[in-house]
Amino acid sequence: MEQNGQHFHLHVGLRSIKTALAATLCALVYFLVDRNPTFACIGAIFGLGSDMSSSRLNGGNRFFGTIIGGLLGMLLFRVYIIFYPDGSKEWPMLIFLFVGVLMLILASQGFRWPGAVQPGGVVLCIILFNTPVDTYISYSLERMLDTGIGVAFALLVNWLLPRDKLVRWLEKVHVKCREMECEEKQ
């Protein structure tokens, strides 16, 4: 294929398969307990790296960002509804957003998780701008829990199916298939 004068090819590798597997297993468990799997699946997708080290980093960024953003969102939203009890999103919310993003950046730096800023910012904005007054605490806590579960699935899949083990297994399957082809030709 060619795009903008550059050649590229489509490729589904082991990491892609493990990412899809982690998200699917996560959704299956959530369906079994009759819960919406969206945020857990997002945690699984963001959390799966090419190896355990990168999975811990990616998953940690997602998980700690969600925790920091969720806690800050709850705190700031609580202060905001003291002034606007109906939770209407008025202009002063911009001040809370500004302060919240700065606090998020500082907290992420302080915990030595600078990669937590982006996912934490997503959760912070969702809580501040898209969560009803009566559910902001439960919503925040559920996002933190769901993200943690999704990241745990990503780590579990990467731990159970490390790249070197999968490569060896696929090589054995490939050899077995060749042997079967040779037997059929005889």
Side-chain angles (χ1 to χ4, degrees), residues 7-101:
H7 294 281
F8 69 94
H9 68 282
L10 300 175
H11 174 73
V12 175
L14 296 177
R15 180 179 176 189
S16 302
I17 292 168
K18 291 192 305 184
T19 302
L21 178 62
T24 303
L25 289 173
C26 202
L28 172 66
V29 169
Y30 269 66
F31 286 163
L32 292 174
V33 296
D34 198 29
R35 279 183 46 104
N36 185 316
T38 302
F39 289 95
C41 291
I42 292 168
I45 291 167
F46 271 82
L48 206 124
S50 57
D51 55 24
M52 277 305 286
S53 176
S54 64
S55 284
R56 281 192 292 272
L57 177 62
N58 295 345
N61 286 342
R62 181 72 188 172
F63 181 66
F64 290 117
T66 299
I67 297 293
I68 295 168
L71 291 173
L72 283 172
M74 285 191 298
L75 172 71
L76 292 169
F77 197 86
R78 178 70 186 137
V79 172
Y80 184 77
I81 61 174
I82 290 170
F83 301 104
Y84 296 91
D86 64 349
S88 59
K89 307 303 186 245
E90 302 289 336
W91 288 97
M93 181 58 86
L94 299 175
I95 296 167
F96 285 83
L97 175 63
F98 184 85
V99 169
V101 171

Side-chain angles (χ1 to χ4, degrees), residues 159-177:
W159 180 70
L160 290 172
L161 303 171
R163 180 174 182 77
D164 58 334
K165 184 188 283 186
L166 283 175
V167 167
R168 284 193 312 269
W169 180 79
L170 288 172
E171 287 170 352
K172 288 179 185 178
V173 169
H174 186 69
V175 166
K176 193 67 166 166
C177 288

Side-chain angles (χ1 to χ4, degrees), residues 94 113 118 122 137 152 168 174:
L94 299 175
W113 281 100
Q118 289 85 358
V122 169
I137 292 175
R168 284 193 312 269
H174 186 69

